Amino acid sequence: MRIGELARRTGVSERALRYYEQQGLLTPERRPSGYRVYCDAHVPAVRRIRVLLAAGLSTAQIQEMLPCVVDDEGLLTPGCPELVDGLVRHRHRIDEAIAELEATRATLDTILAGRRRAD
């Protein structure tokens, strides 16, 4: 299938699909004319890429992890032990970022509470 068909079937723009190719996440065949040719297996691959991007992973991380991600009836699961370790580390970084944001919010709440008392 051509890139337009893959875009239609996945709901992802052609521009994003080209970017995924540039990042090494998708490898379509190329015709002598230069047209990209995708196969049916690229449809679930794009879905896995989108889920991993939504989880906050970079394209470089996804490139490393993608071969180890298994689509188990619509649920992505790690298929390699080293993938679990990487995902746990990523989750820990997210937890730390959330804690920092909560501390920032608490500081702003304190400042705003002082403003309310002054009114």
Side-chain angles (χ1 to χ4, degrees):
M1 81 186 84
R2 300 227 339 234
I3 194 167
E5 176 64 14
L6 182 62
R8 187 189 66 72
R9 289 179 60 184
T10 60
V12 174
S13 71
E14 291 179 22
R15 182 177 178 192
L17 295 172
R18 286 186 200 98
Y19 176 72
Y20 298 163
E21 179 184 356
Q22 179 186 25
Q23 297 299 305
L25 303 177
L26 292 177
T27 309
E29 290 183 37
R30 288 284 191 150
R31 293 213 170 138
S33 63
Y35 285 113
R36 294 165 175 86
V37 179
Y38 296 90
C39 64
D40 288 336
H42 285 110
V43 174
V46 170
R47 181 180 113 35
R48 288 191 300 273
I49 292 165
R50 298 299 294 177
V51 169
L52 294 170
L53 285 169
L57 297 168
S58 70
T59 54
Q61 291 169 313
I62 293 170
Q63 185 181 22
E64 289 179 25
M65 295 179 175
L66 202 55
C68 289
V69 175
V70 178
D71 191 338
D72 186 15
E73 296 180 20
L75 179 66
L76 295 187
T77 59
C80 307
E82 60 273 13
L83 177 59
V84 173
D85 295 338
L87 291 174
V88 168
R89 283 191 304 275
H90 182 68
R91 189 177 191 289
H92 181 70
R93 286 191 297 273
I94 290 171
D95 289 341
E96 288 174 346
I98 289 169
E100 288 177 24
L101 287 170
E102 287 175 339
T104 301
R105 182 179 57 202
T107 300
L108 284 172
D109 288 346
T110 300
I111 293 167
L112 290 171
R115 169 79 170 108
R116 288 186 199 114
R117 282 191 299 235
D119 286 342

